[in-house]
Amino acid sequence: MAGGAAINIFNFNTGGLPKEVLNWRLWMAVFSFGIMGAARGVDEGLINGVFLSKAFQRHVGIDGLDAVGLANVKGTVSSMVQLGSVAGALFAFIVCDKWGRVWATRQLCVLWLIGIGIFMGNNGSLAAVNIGRFIAGIGIGETVVVGPVYLSEIAPAQIRGLCTCIFTGFVYIGIMVAYFANWGTQVTLDDNLTRWALPTSIHLMFAGILLALSFFQEESPRHLIRVGQRDEALRVLCKLRNLPAEHPYIQEEINAIDWSYQEEREATHGMGWKGVLKEIFMVRSNSYRLLLTNVAQIMACFSGGSSMTVYAPDLFEIVGITGREQSLFSTVIFGIVKFVSAVICALFLVDIAGRKRSLIYGIILQAMAMFYIAIFLNIVPVANNEEFEPTPSQSRASTAAIASIYISGAGWALGWNSGQYLLSSELFPLRIRAICSSITMAMHFICQYATNRALPVMLLEDHGLGPHGTFYFFGVITVVGGIWVWLCVPEAAGRSLESIDRLFDLPWYKIGLYGKSFAEEYDRQQAAQAESEKKEMGGAVVYKEDA
């Protein structure tokens, strides 16, 4: 396996990469498409702070609702982007395959801008708020397909984990900027329309930057191969790798991409959409990959990590933070913790320890934090109890519960939130990558919609699980998810996208535990065979898929 991402950055020849490969054009492309992650992050970080503004509640006419009514409206408004994102994720593969990854980016930015424009100009209509968030959600839902797919397709195998995790890093940059905006307006502005409209404009800023950057980027070479433009794919690949077309590294990479796609196409030649569906659902290895990525989304969302991001101010108050300003400031620290954890994951875990270990490390941290918070809330009646006066030992336990929210955020960033994008973007063959990523991310947003819609009600003592029951639920799902990852998820770190198929040549029940060693043994055999053929041909270079 190749060395880790951080090593590859500071030692250009590590892992067999020519030093020219890690050049400014590659990093500019990674930055330009990684910034899509901010779409989801900004919305998750902003919406609860916006909703808690009394001026916003008065503006849309919900300030007179009781606790149950307000919880239901909050759940609907907060989750409307996730509902739109289901449609966006499913729509993304059509645009990606029809127009390409770059034009898909421009189209999603337009939807994102239109939706936020309707939301900000709602004129006091709650219906307009929901419609605007739904339309924006379509564009935001496309980002989680287009961004990771493009990044995985242009990245060298040795640093693909790092490049794809740039997307995750921008999720947390978006969250962090949103949290700062909510806290800053809380501290400096009166509670008027500007209090919620100003932070919401961050959506417009990120969408505009992404749209502008898209006009300076090239299409994915793998997509160009897919649409029959091999010469253009070779030109773009040379530009991204900063190497001439005759360089052995370029020849090996373009031949592997071309050979793999031709093999995929020949398997379903002349069958059109029936062939694509057959390839997804009738080819055992592909159907198992789709099952893997969809179960990963279910486990990730119902572990509570995403919902805690959206409702962070409420959760900090539940475990003992007093005052709206203090709870919003706590979310700022929460955002910083998540961002730093995402950077650590990208630089030192996903390409060194591997995807699977990184996932398990994060899940362990998250599970420990969830169970501590649940036990604390079960013993100490601090949640929703303004009259409660904690003893010194209970105050220390409350501080530990607050710290546990930060730890859960670190675990989420190290584990599920990075792993879910890596799995969906790198496990599938080129021919079905976009459609399978769309199906997977649609499942992500269905689950996220369910958890975000339900959490405000789940936290109610009389109508839900209560705060402690909610965290017990999250903890149990997190543990189940960790066991599932250990048993079922294969390790793909350091492998080219075209060689990942080797992981799925085993029976499904052996892939998670033995796929990595099986694929490495196959690679050794192929390398030995290629070396033998090379000697027989008098030292001539032989290009093979796995040479």
Side-chain angles (χ1 to χ4, degrees):
M1 182 185 296
I7 296 173
N8 282 316
I9 290 173
F10 298 114
N11 182 353
F12 289 138
N13 289 314
T14 298
L17 282 176
K19 63 181 182 180
E20 295 88 353
V21 170
L22 301 178
N23 61 82
W24 71 269
R25 288 189 182 90
L26 174 66
W27 296 125
M28 188 63 185
V30 169
F31 174 83
S32 298
F33 281 80
I35 201 172
M36 285 193 206
R40 179 186 150 206
V42 166
D43 186 70
E44 289 182 0
L46 277 180
I47 187 57
N48 198 41
V50 170
F51 194 90
L52 291 174
S53 167
K54 294 297 183 183
F56 176 79
Q57 293 182 21
R58 288 192 300 270
H59 184 63
V60 297
I62 58 174
D63 53 318
L65 296 177
D66 59 17
V68 176
L70 194 62
N72 278 300
V73 174
K74 180 192 291 188
T76 300
V77 172
S78 298
S79 59
M80 195 55 63
V81 161
Q82 283 72 47
L83 192 59
S85 294
V86 174
L90 291 173
F91 181 58
F93 87 89
I94 299 174
V95 184
C96 268
D97 284 352
K98 183 78 172 176
W99 297 347
R101 283 53 165 154
V102 173
W103 273 103
T105 300
R106 294 165 187 162
Q107 171 268 145
L108 71 86
C109 286
V110 172
L111 286 174
W112 187 7
L113 289 166
I114 290 173
I116 294 301
I118 294 172
F119 171 60
M120 294 181 69
N122 62 75
N123 199 28
S125 169
L126 186 59
V129 167
N130 287 324
I131 290 170
R133 285 183 56 75
F134 180 86
I135 294 173
I138 296 174
I140 292 171
E142 290 184 66
T143 64
V144 300
V145 176
V146 179
V149 164
Y150 182 89
L151 292 170
S152 70
E153 289 185 346
I154 67 163
Q158 292 88 340
I159 58 166
R160 190 174 61 248
L162 167 65
C163 293
T164 306
C165 281
I166 295 296
F167 181 92
T168 308
F170 269 103
V171 172
Y172 294 118
I173 288 176
I175 289 170
M176 192 165 54
V177 170
Y179 283 163
F180 267 109
N182 279 337
W183 173 65
T185 53
Q186 172 75 25
V187 172
T188 60
L189 298 178
D190 295 330
D191 196 358
N192 52 37
L193 294 182
T194 306
R195 165 95 49 100
W196 65 267
L198 185 60
T200 303
S201 67
I202 294 172
H203 278 286
L204 306 179
M205 177 185 72
F206 276 105
I209 292 172
L210 177 58
L211 181 60
L213 287 174
S214 71
F215 289 95
F216 296 93
Q217 297 307 314
E218 302 276 5
E219 186 52 77
S220 158
R222 284 176 167 87
H223 172 72
L224 293 169
I225 287 283
R226 183 184 174 279
V227 296
Q229 299 181 34
R230 190 184 191 279
D231 290 343
E232 179 66 7
L234 179 60
R235 183 192 69 79
V236 173
L237 190 63
C238 291
K239 186 174 180 180
L240 286 171
R241 300 293 184 258
N242 196 30
L243 291 169
E246 62 273 11
H247 193 282
Y249 185 89
I250 293 291
Q251 286 296 311
E252 183 176 346
E253 187 168 11
I254 195 72
N255 288 339
I257 297 169
D258 198 14
W259 184 90
S260 179
Y261 177 68
Q262 295 303 329
E263 186 181 57
E264 294 171 27
R265 189 176 67 172
E266 288 172 10
T268 53
H269 181 67
M271 297 182 68
W273 279 105
K274 290 181 180 179
V276 174
L277 294 176
K278 179 181 178 181
E279 192 170 352
I280 295 172
F281 296 107
M282 301 302 290
V283 176
R284 177 184 58 82
S285 63
N286 290 340
S287 61
Y288 184 68
R289 291 180 234 212
L290 189 61
L291 177 65
L292 271 179
T293 55
N294 277 270
V295 173
Q297 300 305 325
I298 294 169
M299 293 294 180
C301 286
F302 284 94
S303 72
S306 176
S307 299
M308 290 182 70
T309 302
V310 175
Y311 296 106
D314 295 334
L315 299 177
F316 277 112
E317 290 187 1
I318 283 173
V319 296
I321 295 289
T322 57
R324 179 63 57 195
E325 183 178 324
Q326 287 75 17
S327 67
L328 288 174
F329 180 73
S330 298
T331 65
V332 171
I333 306 302
F334 192 43
I336 294 172
V337 168
K338 284 191 167 188
F339 174 68
V340 171
S341 300
V343 171
I344 292 171
C345 181
L347 291 179
F348 304 109
L349 283 179
V350 292
D351 286 317
I352 297 178
R355 280 71 158 143
K356 189 167 182 172
R357 285 184 182 176
S358 179
L359 252 175
I360 291 174
Y361 294 159
I363 285 170
I364 290 171
L365 279 178
Q366 189 177 342
M368 291 170 57
M370 293 295 189
F371 279 117
Y372 179 84
I373 297 169
I375 294 168
F376 165 75
L377 292 173
N378 202 22
I379 296 173
V380 182
V382 66
N384 304 317
N385 188 355
E386 296 180 359
E387 305 298 324
F388 178 71
E389 290 292 336
T391 64
S393 62
Q394 289 173 333
S395 293
R396 289 192 292 272
S398 176
T399 301
I402 295 167
S404 293
I405 292 181
Y406 295 134
I407 292 170
S408 74
W412 169 252
L414 293 172
W416 277 126
N417 200 45
S418 298
Q420 61 186 338
Y421 296 118
L422 281 166
L423 290 175
S424 66
S425 65
E426 69 182 6
L427 290 189
F428 296 107
L430 175 59
R431 178 174 162 83
I432 60 171
R433 185 172 297 138
I435 184 172
C436 288
S437 294
S438 288
I439 294 170
T440 298
M441 297 317 298
M443 176 60 73
H444 166 82
F445 285 115
I446 289 170
C447 295
Q448 195 176 44
Y449 170 79
T451 54
N452 288 355
R453 177 67 182 82
L455 188 60
V457 178
M458 288 173 67
L459 291 170
L460 297 175
E461 294 283 0
D462 298 330
H463 295 80
L465 298 175
H468 68 280
T470 299
F471 280 97
Y472 276 126
F473 174 81
F474 289 153
V476 169
I477 296 297
T478 304
V479 170
V480 171
I483 296 170
W484 175 81
V485 167
W486 177 65
L487 290 174
C488 299
V489 174
E491 180 57 73
R495 304 193 67 81
S496 71
L497 292 179
E498 287 67 42
S499 70
I500 283 175
D501 280 350
R502 303 287 170 255
L503 298 170
F504 295 90
D505 285 346
L506 289 171
W508 68 268
Y509 54 88
K510 293 183 177 181
I511 291 171
L513 295 176
Y514 306 110
K516 177 185 175 183
S517 58
F518 175 82
E520 288 175 346
E521 178 59 29
Y522 179 90
D523 290 346
R524 283 192 290 270
Q525 293 175 4
Q526 290 295 99
Q529 181 180 345
E531 184 64 26
S532 175
E533 292 176 358
K534 181 179 177 180
K535 289 179 180 178
E536 290 175 4
M537 297 177 66
V541 177
V542 178
Y543 292 115
K544 297 181 73 69
E545 180 197 4
D546 296 298

